[in-house]
Amino acid sequence: MTKKKYNISVEATLEVIGGKWKCVILCHLTHGKKRTSELKRLMPDITQKMLTQQLRELEADGVINRISYNQVPPKVEYELSEYGLSLESILEALCAWGDVHITKVYGDKFSVLEDGILNDKLKS
C-alpha cells in the first residue's frame, strides 16, 4: 500500500471531517446516540443519500460507531467512537469561531441561527 503524503497535517483532518455535513453530524452526535431519522430531522437540508454517504465515510474512518439492533423493525443508531470523542475540542473551537464570525457579519447571531439543541446553550 502506498503511503499518502500530506503537505500539512490539517489536510489529514479535513480528509476525515471536511465537507459541508460531517462536522454538523459530529456536533449532533456529541449530544448522544442518534438514529438516522433523528439526524435527518436535525438537518432538514441534507438529502437522505448524502446523510447515508457521510455516515458511512465517518464510520469507515473510525470516527463514529454504527449500532445495529437485532429486532423487527430494524433499528440502527450512531454514536461517536472513542476516537471520534477526541474531536470534541476541535468541534467546540469551530463553533466558537462561527459565533464570532456570525456576530461580525450579521450582528445579532440569533437572527440567523436556527432554534435547536446545538444553539440553545448559546442563549443562556
Side-chain angles (χ1 to χ4, degrees):
M1 177 188 286
T2 306
K3 289 186 180 179
K4 183 161 185 160
K5 297 281 188 173
Y6 298 101
N7 292 311
I8 187 170
S9 296
V10 75
E11 289 179 41
T13 306
L14 292 175
E15 188 173 72
V16 175
I17 66 169
K20 182 175 179 178
W21 296 109
K22 286 184 180 177
C23 283
V24 178
I25 291 167
L26 294 171
C27 284
H28 285 298
L29 292 178
T30 63
H31 294 275
K33 294 177 188 175
K34 299 281 185 285
R35 296 181 74 169
T36 308
S37 59
E38 290 176 276
L39 289 168
K40 180 70 175 102
R41 195 174 334 105
L42 291 166
M43 300 180 293
D45 292 339
I46 192 171
T47 65
Q48 186 64 47
K49 179 181 177 186
M50 180 58 69
L51 177 58
T52 301
Q53 177 184 333
Q54 301 292 277
L55 289 168
R56 285 181 182 157
E57 289 176 11
L58 289 167
E59 182 186 10
D61 287 326
V63 177
I64 64 171
N65 296 322
R66 181 181 188 270
I67 306 158
S68 183
Y69 298 92
N70 189 15
Q71 66 183 50
V72 177
K75 178 180 176 183
V76 174
E77 290 181 321
Y78 294 91
E79 67 179 359
L80 289 177
S81 66
E82 189 173 327
Y83 186 49
L85 288 169
S86 68
L87 291 167
E88 282 188 288
S89 61
I90 294 170
L91 297 169
E92 288 172 8
L94 286 169
C95 286
W97 189 89
D99 286 342
V100 170
H101 176 71
I102 289 170
T103 302
K104 179 180 185 249
V105 173
Y106 299 101
D108 175 22
K109 65 183 166 191
F110 298 109
S111 66
V112 295
L113 284 176
E114 296 283 346
D115 288 332
I117 189 170
L118 296 180
N119 298 323
D120 288 345
K121 66 180 179 181
L122 299 174
K123 295 179 182 176
S124 33

